[in-house]
């Protein structure tokens, strides 16, 4: 226990959004400073920089080297999410700062939303909703026919925990599976493609379930979208950074791909406005893990990781 711990509680900076009941639990366990954004430099933050020993943050918040440097006694960054691409892992590793995440507990919900986006996109479900509300069913008759997932190939970029669960769901809907990964797996029956262009050329629906970060930055570029082709769909439940967003906007506007279902964007919460009038894209506000059940489990795990560290035990989900 560090000597400046108040009432035995360690000082933790918590970056929202994290559910209020998790913030309440965190307040019981830690001497908590709550901010609504990582850029907050309020007096409360500035006056406590040398007391802050832990950060709890959404996986996508940007806690870079510059920010970590401000906190000379920082020991742990606990990400509320499976992705931790917002944290500077190199700086953390160099300075003995642990990074933890919340794997497993969100796998099902993220895969569910991925499958939902495949259905919503191919079956025109959001378009259908707009069609009814605008009175077009009454005035114009049935809407245009849509596309069945059955018999189509789902190409998965990043066949990890979430990718595998998405594959299971897609198989129930009659889809075949292929994948591209950093390396070929020896425990799945699905055909492997050595790069994203090859996979895009071989599948009908390309789904992204890989980690974000430098290694996958703009992996899905104009060449991959061209290979996906005018009958192909893109589903992104990974990170916006994985896709060259300008190339995607162009492909959707020019109908050089058939459509897209997107839960994540390069500069959240800002979504390219050029997408708003397009009928061939379904947009979601980065909500794949956002169920009460899953966000509660993620929040509890985030606190468990911090608590284990401060109790001198290895955090259960340490990734750095
Ligand atoms: C969350 C996520 O939206 O797990 C991740 O990496 O992107 C999401 O589950 C995010 O971390 C919420 O804080």
């Amino acid at each position: 226990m560090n000597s400046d711990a108040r009432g035995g509680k360690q000082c933790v900076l918590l970056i929202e959004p994290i559910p209020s009941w998790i913030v309440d639990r965190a307040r019981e366990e830690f001497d908590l400073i709550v901010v609504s954004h990582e850029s907050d430099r309020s007096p409360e933050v500035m006056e406590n920089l040398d007391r802050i020993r832990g950060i709890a943050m959404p996986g996508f918040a940007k806690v870079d080297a510059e920010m970590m440097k401000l906190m000379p006694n920082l020991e742990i960054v606990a990400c509320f999410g499976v992705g931790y691409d917002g944290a500077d892992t190199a700086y953390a590793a160099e300075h003995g700062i642990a990074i933890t995440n919340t794997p497993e507990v969100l796998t099902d919900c993220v895969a569910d939303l991925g499958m939902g986006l495949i259905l919503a996109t191919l079956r025109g479900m959001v378009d259908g909703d707009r069609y009814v509300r605008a009175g077009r069913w009454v005035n114009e008759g049935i809407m245009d026919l849509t596309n069945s997932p059955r018999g189509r190939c789902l190409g998965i970029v990043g066949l990890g925990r979430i990718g595998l669960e998405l594959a299971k769901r897609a198989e129930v809907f009659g889809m075949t599976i292929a994948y591209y990964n950093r390396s070929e797996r020896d425990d799945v029956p699905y055909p492997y493609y050595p790069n994203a262009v090859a996979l895009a050329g071989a599948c009908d629906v390309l789904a992204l379930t890989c980690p974000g970060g430098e290694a996958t930055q703009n992996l899905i570029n104009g060449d991959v979208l061209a290979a996906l082709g005018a009958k192909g769909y893109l589903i992104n439940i990974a990170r916006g950074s994985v896709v060259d967003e300008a190339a995607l906007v162009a492909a959707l506007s020019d109908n050089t791909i058939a459509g897209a279902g997107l839960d994540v964007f390069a500069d959240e919460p800002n979504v390219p406005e050029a997408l708003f009038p397009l009928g061939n894209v379904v947009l979601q506000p980065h909500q794949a893990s956002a169920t009460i059940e899953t966000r509660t489990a993620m929040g509890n795990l985030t606190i468990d990781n911090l608590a284990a560290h401060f109790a001198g035990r290895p955090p259960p989900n340490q990734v750095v």
Side-chain angles (χ1 to χ4, degrees):
M1 189 72 54
N2 291 291
S3 54
D4 69 344
R6 289 186 190 167
K9 290 181 178 179
Q10 300 292 344
C11 185
V12 168
L13 178 72
L14 183 144
I15 303 169
E16 291 185 310
I18 289 181
S20 60
W21 55 96
I22 297 299
V23 177
D24 291 344
R25 188 189 150 200
R27 217 182 281 286
E28 282 168 21
E29 306 244 358
F30 313 116
D31 178 7
L32 208 63
I33 299 174
V34 180
V35 293
S36 57
H37 194 265
E38 64 265 21
S39 60
D40 188 317
R41 297 289 178 270
S42 62
E44 194 190 9
V45 174
M46 297 312 285
E47 284 159 17
N48 284 292
L49 288 174
D50 60 347
R51 295 184 53 249
I52 295 172
R53 290 198 150 68
I55 294 178
M57 63 174 240
F60 51 74
K62 296 276 166 284
V63 172
D64 55 13
E66 204 183 317
M67 179 161 176
M68 288 194 244
K69 267 183 211 158
L70 290 174
M71 301 165 199
N73 296 310
L74 184 64
E75 297 170 13
I76 177 168
V77 177
C79 295
F80 173 75
V82 67
Y84 48 94
D85 45 304
D88 188 325
T89 52
Y91 181 89
E94 228 174 89
H95 293 80
I97 299 168
I99 296 184
T100 62
N101 68 346
T102 63
E104 316 280 357
V105 293
L106 47 66
T107 302
D108 279 324
C109 272
V110 177
D112 288 350
L113 195 95
M115 194 63 226
L117 278 174
I118 294 173
L119 293 173
T121 307
L122 271 69
R123 297 299 313 272
M125 288 171 69
V126 177
D127 249 2
D129 180 272
R130 283 191 287 253
Y131 197 81
V132 173
R133 289 172 198 262
R136 295 181 62 193
W137 190 16
V138 170
N139 294 321
E140 299 172 35
I142 61 166
M143 76 172 195
D144 290 344
L145 301 185
T146 62
N147 295 287
S148 169
R150 202 155 297 276
R152 284 186 157 79
C153 175
L154 175 66
I156 298 179
V157 177
L159 196 65
R161 285 179 287 249
I162 294 169
L164 283 171
E165 283 301 319
L166 180 62
K168 274 208 293 204
R169 286 156 179 71
E171 284 182 309
V172 171
F173 285 87
M175 302 187 84
T176 59
I177 311 295
Y179 76 104
Y180 158 62
N181 236 12
R182 268 170 305 191
S183 51
E184 188 169 359
R185 298 183 64 127
D186 57 13
D187 58 349
V188 293
Y190 312 131
Y192 171 74
Y193 287 82
N195 57 62
V197 172
L199 179 65
C203 72
D204 305 294
V205 180
L206 189 68
L208 312 181
T209 55
C210 56
E214 265 172 41
T216 57
Q217 178 89 29
N218 285 350
L219 174 67
I220 307 304
N221 57 19
D223 293 343
V224 177
L225 296 172
L228 188 57
K231 293 190 167 169
Y233 295 86
L234 181 75
I235 303 296
N236 192 0
I237 51 170
R239 283 287 182 269
S241 60
V242 179
V243 178
D244 176 342
E245 215 162 60
L248 177 60
V249 171
L252 287 165
S253 307
D254 302 344
N255 295 307
T256 54
I257 67 169
L262 309 173
D263 185 47
V264 287
F265 303 88
D267 178 29
E268 294 172 6
N270 301 303
V271 173
E273 284 186 17
L275 294 176
F276 294 170
L278 301 182
N280 56 356
V281 59
V282 175
L283 305 171
Q284 293 294 309
H286 196 153
Q287 66 117 333
S289 69
T291 61
I292 293 166
E293 296 82 358
T294 289
R295 287 284 166 92
T296 300
M298 289 162 64
N300 284 331
L301 211 46
T302 305
I303 294 178
D304 293 348
N305 278 304
L306 287 164
H309 171 82
F310 291 131
R313 296 191 308 273
N317 307 107
Q318 185 164 353
V319 285
V320 170

